[in-house]
C-alpha cells in the first residue's frame, strides 16, 4: 500500500505538476507570447529528441511483454512504419498500422 | 458580480462538445490509450499508476516518460526535468487555444480548468472545428469534449492493461508496440523543418549511447544534448541559406 502511495506521489510530483505548470503559463502568457519564437523552437527540438530516445530505448531494450519479439523484428517494424507513413502520403494511421502488422509478420515468420 | 461574469460563457454547449468526442480524432486517441494500457502492464507499475497519469498528466509522451522512469527507479528530480521538457510543447498549444475561446470580461477560472485538457488532440480539434461554434459556447464546448475524452481514455487504459494479459504473447507485444510506433511516426508527421529531423536522429543515436553509460539520465541527456545539437545545426544551416 505504501508502495502504491509512493507511485502516486512520484507521478504527481514528477509528472502532473511539471506538466500542468506549462498549461497554466500558457493561460497567463496567452496575450504576450509568440508561439513560433526561437525559445520554443529549441524546446521543440529537445522534446523531439526525448521522445525519439524513448522510442529507441523501447525498441532496443524492451520490457517483458515486448521482449518476446526479436530485436530485428522490432527494427524492421519501426522502419516499415516510417516507410509506409511516407508511401501513404504522410498518413500517420497507415504508418502505425503497417508497423504493428510488420512486427507481427516479422516475429511470426522470421524469429 | 461573479454570477454575471461566468454567465458570459454559454454552458449549454457542454454536452454538445462531449458528443463531438465521437469521431476520427477520438478513435485514434482511443487506439493510442489502448496501447498505452498495454505498455503500463509491460512496465509492471500497476493499473492505478497508469490511470493516475491519464487523469493528472493527460499527455501521452509525458505519461510514458513518467512511468518509464518510475519503473526504472529513477530519482524524482531527473524524472521531473525530463517530463517537464516534454510538456513545454503544450504551452504554445494552450496559447493558441486560449486565443480562440477567451471571452473579454468573463471570469478566468474556467480557463485554468480547460487548459488541463489541452494536448495534441484538443488543440487539433480547436483549430479545425471551433470556428463554427459561437464564441460564448467555445469554452464550454471544449471542456465537454475534454471531459468526455478523458473518461473514455481512463476506460481504454484499463482495457489495454487487461488485454495485454489476456491476449496471446505475440498479440500482446503488438499492442505494447502501438504506442512507441505511434510516437515515432508522429515525430515525422509533426516535423516541418530540417531541425526536427536532426532532433529525431540525435535522440535515436544519443539515447541508446547514454543508456549504456548513464541509464538513469539517458532521456534527459539525449533530449538536452541531442535537441540542442539539432537546434544549433539547424539554425546555422538556416542562416547560411539566407
Amino acid at each position: 500500500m505504501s508502495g502504491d502511495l509512493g507511485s502516486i506521489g512520484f507521478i504527481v510530483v514528477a509528472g502532473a505538476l511539471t506538466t500542468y505548470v506549462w498549461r497554466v503559463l500558457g493561460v497567463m502568457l496567452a496575450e504576450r507570447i509568440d508561439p513560433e519564437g526561437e525559445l520554443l523552437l529549441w524546446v521543440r527540438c529537445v522534446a523531439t529528441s526525448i521522445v525519439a530516445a524513448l522510442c529507441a530505448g523501447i525498441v532496443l531494450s524492451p520490457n517483458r511483454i515486448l521482449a518476446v519479439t526479436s530485436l530485428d523484428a522490432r527494427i524492421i517494424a519501426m522502419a516499415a512504419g516510417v516507410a509506409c507513413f511516407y508511401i501513404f502520403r504522410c498518413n500517420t494511421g497507415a504508418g502505425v498500422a503497417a508497423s504493428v502488422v510488420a512486427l507481427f509478420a516479422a516475429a511470426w515468420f522470421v524469429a | 458580480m461573479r454570477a454575471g461574469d461566468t454567465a458570459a460563457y454559454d454552458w449549454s454547449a457542454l454536452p454538445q462538445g462531449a458528443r463531438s468526442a465521437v469521431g476520427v480524432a477520438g478513435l485514434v486517441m482511443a487506439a493510442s490509450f489502448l496501447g498505452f494500457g498495454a505498455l503500463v502492464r509491460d512496465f509492471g507499475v500497476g493499473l492505478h499508476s497508469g490511470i493516475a497519469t491519464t487523469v493528472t498528466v493527460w499527455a501521452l509522451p509525458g505519461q510514458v516518460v513518467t512511468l518509464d522512469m518510475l519503473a526504472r527507479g529513477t530519482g524524482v528530480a531527473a524524472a521531473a526535468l525530463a517530463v517537464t521538457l516534454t510538456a513545454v510543447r503544450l504551452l504554445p498549444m494552450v496559447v493558441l487555444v486560449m486565443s480562440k475561446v477567451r471571452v473579454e470580461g468573463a471570469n478566468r477560472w474556467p480557463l485554468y480548468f480547460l487548459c488541463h485538457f489541452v494536448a495534441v488532440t484538443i488543440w487539433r480539434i480547436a483549430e479545425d472545428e471551433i470556428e463554427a461554434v459561437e464564441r460564448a459556447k467555445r469554452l464550454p464546448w471544449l471542456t465537454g469534449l475534454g471531459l468526455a475524452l478523458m473518461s473514455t481514455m481512463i476506460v481504454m487504459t484499463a482495457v489495454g492493461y487487461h488485454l495485454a494479459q489476456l491476449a496471446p504473447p505475440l498479440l500482446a507485444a503488438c499492442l505494447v508496440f502501438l504506442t512507441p510506433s505511434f510516437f515515432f511516426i508522429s515525430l515525422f508527421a509533426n516535423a516541418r523543418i530540417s531541425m526536427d529531423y536532426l532532433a529525431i536522429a540525435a535522440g535515436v543515436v544519443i539515447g541508446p549511447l547514454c543508456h549504456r553509460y548513464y541509464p538513469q539520465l539517458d532521456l534527459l541527456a539525449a533530449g538536452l544534448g541531442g535537441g540542442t545539437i539539432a537546434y544549433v545545426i539547424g539554425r546555422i544551416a538556416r542562416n547560411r541559406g539566407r
Side-chain angles (χ1 to χ4, degrees):
Chain A
M1 193 60 212
S2 69
D4 287 0
L5 284 178
S7 304
I8 301 293
F10 183 95
I11 288 163
V12 169
V13 174
L17 296 176
T18 51
T19 303
Y20 189 63
V21 69
W22 297 109
R23 292 184 168 123
V24 165
L25 276 174
V27 176
M28 294 197 297
L29 302 175
E31 284 111 291
R32 270 171 284 170
I33 206 160
D34 173 13
E36 301 281 333
E38 284 295 318
L39 183 65
L40 288 177
L41 211 55
W42 171 74
V43 164
R44 204 172 81 191
C45 284
V46 172
T48 299
S49 288
I50 288 181
V51 173
L54 180 72
C55 297
I58 292 174
V59 167
L60 294 178
S61 42
N63 295 296
R64 301 160 302 137
I65 297 175
L66 193 54
V68 302
T69 58
S70 69
L71 176 62
D72 289 345
R74 294 190 297 272
I75 292 176
I76 289 169
M78 208 54 115
V82 174
C84 284
F85 165 74
Y86 284 111
I87 290 167
F88 290 96
R89 296 166 189 223
C90 296
N91 184 326
T92 307
V96 174
S99 81
V100 172
V101 170
L103 179 72
F104 187 88
W108 188 266
F109 294 112
V110 182
Chain B
M1 286 297 287
R2 288 265 150 202
D5 287 346
T6 16
Y9 300 112
D10 181 355
W11 290 97
S12 68
L14 199 92
Q16 206 182 318
R19 274 195 295 274
S20 62
V22 184
V24 177
L27 209 65
V28 171
M29 202 179 192
S32 320
F33 273 83
L34 198 68
F36 170 70
L39 194 60
V40 171
R41 164 80 72 180
D42 201 29
F43 282 147
V45 290
L47 179 58
H48 63 282
S49 296
I51 289 179
T53 62
T54 298
V55 175
T56 67
V57 180
W58 191 242
L60 265 187
Q63 289 177 237
V64 177
V65 172
T66 305
L67 295 180
D68 178 61
M69 293 192 148
L70 175 65
R72 291 198 274 150
T74 312
V76 174
L81 196 51
V83 175
T84 215
L85 283 165
T86 67
V88 192
R89 77 201 154 83
L90 299 172
L91 189 152
M93 292 182 200
V94 171
V95 168
L96 293 168
V97 170
M98 289 304 137
S99 69
K100 307 242 178 195
V101 305
R102 210 174 327 119
V103 174
E104 284 304 322
N107 207 327
R108 285 178 69 86
W109 68 262
L111 298 175
Y112 290 98
F113 183 67
L114 172 67
C115 75
H116 178 61
F117 295 104
V118 176
V120 179
T121 305
I122 298 247
W123 169 59
R124 285 314 318 165
I125 292 175
E127 290 282 305
D128 298 340
E129 295 179 35
I130 205 85
E131 297 292 345
V133 181
E134 77 182 78
R135 197 156 190 107
K137 288 185 173 178
R138 287 179 182 178
L139 182 135
W141 192 89
L142 272 182
T143 306
L145 172 66
L147 285 167
L149 284 176
M150 186 177 280
S151 322
T152 311
M153 298 320 148
I154 292 170
V155 175
M156 296 312 287
T157 305
V159 171
Y161 185 83
H162 291 297
L163 266 183
Q165 195 182 36
L166 296 174
L170 182 52
L171 280 182
C174 289
L175 205 55
V176 171
F177 198 65
L178 203 58
T179 301
S181 143
F182 172 63
F183 281 0
F184 197 62
I185 292 166
S186 296
L187 292 180
F188 289 90
N190 295 329
R192 283 175 298 173
I193 46 180
S194 60
M195 225 177 244
D196 299 324
Y197 297 100
L198 283 170
I200 297 172
V204 167
V205 173
I206 299 175
L209 272 179
C210 290
H211 182 72
R212 180 167 294 181
Y213 302 106
Y214 310 102
Q216 301 283 309
L217 295 172
D218 56 347
L219 295 185
L220 208 51
L224 286 174
T228 305
I229 292 170
Y231 174 77
V232 170
I233 296 178
R235 229 193 128 153
I236 291 170
R238 188 184 56 190
N239 290 342
R240 277 227 185 110
R242 266 181 197 158

